[in-house]
Amino acid sequence: MTKRRKIVLVTGVFPPGIGGMQNYYYNLALHSKHDMTVVAPEYPESDAFDNGLPFRISRGAFMRNESVDVTSWGRLLRQVRRTMKSEEPDVTIYGYVLIGFIGLLLRTLGGRRYVISTHGMDMLMFRRFVGLNAVVKLILRKADGVLTNSLFTKKLVEDYGVDPRRIGLVNPGVERVYEKQEPDAELIRRHGLEGKHVILSVGRLVTRKGHDRVIESMPAILREIPNAVYVIVGDGPDRERLGQLARAKGVADAVIFVGSVSGSEQVNDYYNLSHQFIMVSRELERGDAEGFGIVYLEAASAGVPVIAGRSGGASEAVLDGETGLLVDPASVADIAAGVVRLARDTALRERLVRAGYKRAKTEFQHEVLAEGFDRYIGRICSLPAPGMARRRLARESARENAR
């Protein structure tokens, strides 16, 4: 990195909140060599979490439960303006496309550089609404840069007419805690998994994750693997529906709902008691899709073979036939066939595990990904600033030359 830049990251989700986006932004801030200040919402445990962080963080009550309400925008705008006045950043990154409207406003009024960070679903969910879609297009096209988490998301951004030179790609990374270890005997006893072939999913219980399709495939799986059991870690709005589906399919005894698990160490324990990992995400008509899927690489990092749905950004997280298997997320037969194939083909399973582990431990470590992020920010800051930003820089240069 040739020059250290000052960055303000504005995000509506951040640890101690739990989730993939929270971890993504935390690790960018933690591992970047730029001078980073984070504007993030308050959580009950914020003070304890923030203690000792190697970057500055400005918490505010501009969002409640990580959701936007009518009054959020004014509070967030005031927080951002205060932070930018004190920090005077080279660029501000907005961690959600509609929050980026503040970036558009501040660039129009004051020539402030801004970058939008996108994750896939936010590029799809507004397309049905003409007015909102027009706002999203304006925010993206006027941005100095757009940071994407996958080639899938990058293509969606390009579809909005964004200059490809201003688009960057930084994948999510894998925490080092995900590693191969001996299965936890207590967890095996607790869930009655002795002698079972454990198929595992980890993720929020929402329709696009495909838990329902795996449950629907369980009768066919059990005919070929009688000791199979489907263990689901996570919670969400689909919990009751999935339980009803398991009962309707007659496989309730072979489906275990663990619920939410706190802490990466405990999630790693579940990876290590499984024989294969599956998440057959699919794209829904309402614009819901998997932008990438870091859980596949977490499982691979723990030495578990993986199956993903051939949809969204999952085909980048899992290389079909190299680091895992891709199946048709809408086909119960294809899902069952993939599970049975992994269970029976030892040579294939071991080859996928070796390649998946190596890829997770080399290409997807946070330090490696942060280097790409730092280069991208340096490049964006060196590009000619569009519109009023150019005029602001020209005025600053003229004042400097007049001294």
Side-chain angles (χ1 to χ4, degrees), residues 231-296:
V231 176
I232 301 174
V233 173
D235 207 345
D238 269 9
R239 170 63 182 85
E240 183 176 350
R241 181 179 74 87
L242 294 173
Q244 292 173 348
L245 179 62
R247 291 189 290 274
K249 293 294 178 180
V251 295
D253 291 342
V255 178
I256 297 173
F257 294 92
V258 173
S260 295
V261 173
S262 61
S264 301
E265 292 84 358
Q266 290 189 44
V267 176
N268 190 56
D269 289 338
Y270 279 94
Y271 283 134
N272 276 280
L273 61 77
S274 65
H275 296 88
Q276 52 181 278
F277 178 85
I278 189 167
M279 191 170 78
V280 288
S281 296
R282 62 188 186 270
E283 187 172 334
L284 304 180
E285 290 184 2
R286 63 174 181 268
D288 198 355
E290 198 70 35
F292 184 71
I294 194 59
V295 289
Y296 303 116

Side-chain angles (χ1 to χ4, degrees), residues 230-399:
Y230 182 33
V231 176
I232 301 174
V233 173
D235 207 345
D238 269 9
R239 170 63 182 85
E240 183 176 350
R241 181 179 74 87
L242 294 173
Q244 292 173 348
L245 179 62
R247 291 189 290 274
K249 293 294 178 180
V251 295
D253 291 342
V255 178
I256 297 173
F257 294 92
V258 173
S260 295
V261 173
S262 61
S264 301
E265 292 84 358
Q266 290 189 44
V267 176
N268 190 56
D269 289 338
Y270 279 94
Y271 283 134
N272 276 280
L273 61 77
S274 65
H275 296 88
Q276 52 181 278
F277 178 85
I278 189 167
M279 191 170 78
V280 288
S281 296
R282 62 188 186 270
E283 187 172 334
L284 304 180
E285 290 184 2
R286 63 174 181 268
D288 198 355
E290 198 70 35
F292 184 71
I294 194 59
V295 289
Y296 303 116
L297 288 153
E298 291 174 356
S301 190
V304 183
V306 299
I307 297 176
R310 192 179 288 105
S311 173
S315 59
E316 298 168 56
V318 178
L319 305 182
D320 190 26
E322 296 181 37
T323 65
L325 298 181
L326 295 180
V327 297
D328 180 354
S331 171
V332 169
D334 204 30
I335 294 166
V339 170
V340 173
R341 182 185 177 195
L342 265 192
R344 289 180 172 172
D345 193 334
T346 302
L348 171 67
R349 188 170 62 249
E350 291 178 350
R351 177 169 60 82
L352 297 179
V353 165
R354 284 194 301 271
Y357 181 84
K358 180 179 178 181
R359 185 169 182 247
K361 292 298 186 183
T362 55
E363 298 178 35
F364 290 90
Q365 294 302 296
H366 290 296
E367 297 86 351
V368 175
L369 298 168
E371 289 177 4
F373 169 76
D374 287 348
R375 287 193 299 271
Y376 171 69
I377 291 300
R379 180 165 62 85
I380 288 300
C381 288
S382 66
L383 288 173
M388 285 191 68
R390 280 199 299 267
R391 294 194 287 274
R392 174 172 171 264
L393 292 174
R395 289 195 300 269
E396 291 176 354
S397 178
R399 285 197 297 268

Side-chain angles (χ1 to χ4, degrees), residues 85-107:
K85 185 176 180 180
S86 64
E87 298 295 332
E88 287 296 329
D90 294 296
V91 64
T92 303
I93 302 173
Y94 293 88
Y96 183 68
V97 66
L98 284 186
I99 291 179
F101 184 78
I102 293 174
L104 174 62
L105 178 66
L106 295 181
R107 192 170 78 75

Side-chain angles (χ1 to χ4, degrees), residues 39-162:
V39 176
E42 292 178 347
Y43 297 81
E45 308 87 3
S46 293
D47 289 343
F49 180 85
D50 295 348
N51 186 32
L53 287 177
F55 52 86
R56 293 177 298 281
I57 187 161
S58 173
R59 298 281 186 176
F62 49 83
M63 292 178 69
R64 297 182 177 90
N65 299 320
E66 298 185 347
S67 61
V68 177
D69 59 30
V70 177
T71 62
S72 302
W73 298 98
R75 294 196 301 271
L76 180 55
L77 174 59
R78 289 191 293 273
Q79 181 106 6
V80 171
R81 290 184 67 185
R82 285 195 301 269
T83 305
M84 293 180 72
K85 185 176 180 180
S86 64
E87 298 295 332
E88 287 296 329
D90 294 296
V91 64
T92 303
I93 302 173
Y94 293 88
Y96 183 68
V97 66
L98 284 186
I99 291 179
F101 184 78
I102 293 174
L104 174 62
L105 178 66
L106 295 181
R107 192 170 78 75
T108 301
L109 297 177
R112 298 284 191 176
R113 287 185 183 271
Y114 75 95
V115 168
I116 300 298
S117 175
T118 67
H119 293 265
M121 190 175 72
D122 51 344
M123 291 293 96
L124 293 167
M125 63 190 302
F126 302 112
R127 295 192 175 191
R128 295 176 297 151
F129 309 101
V130 176
L132 277 176
N133 195 52
V135 172
V136 169
K137 182 181 292 186
L138 183 64
I139 292 169
L140 292 171
R141 287 187 174 184
K142 294 293 185 181
D144 295 86
V146 181
L147 182 66
T148 63
N149 68 336
S150 66
L151 290 171
F152 169 74
T153 305
K154 184 174 183 288
K155 177 62 169 60
L156 296 176
V157 173
E158 290 175 346
D159 289 345
Y160 272 103
V162 177

Side-chain angles (χ1 to χ4, degrees), residues 25-38:
Y25 291 127
Y26 169 72
N27 281 291
L28 285 183
L30 183 65
H31 295 285
S32 172
K33 291 182 171 59
H34 289 301
D35 185 358
M36 185 85 78
T37 299
V38 178

Side-chain angles (χ1 to χ4, degrees), residues 174-193:
V174 183
E175 303 288 343
R176 291 192 181 278
V177 69
Y178 297 111
E179 185 57 85
K180 292 185 284 189
Q181 63 185 38
E182 287 298 314
D184 186 319
E186 171 55 31
L187 278 184
I188 292 173
R189 284 192 295 271
R190 183 189 308 171
H191 298 300
L193 300 177

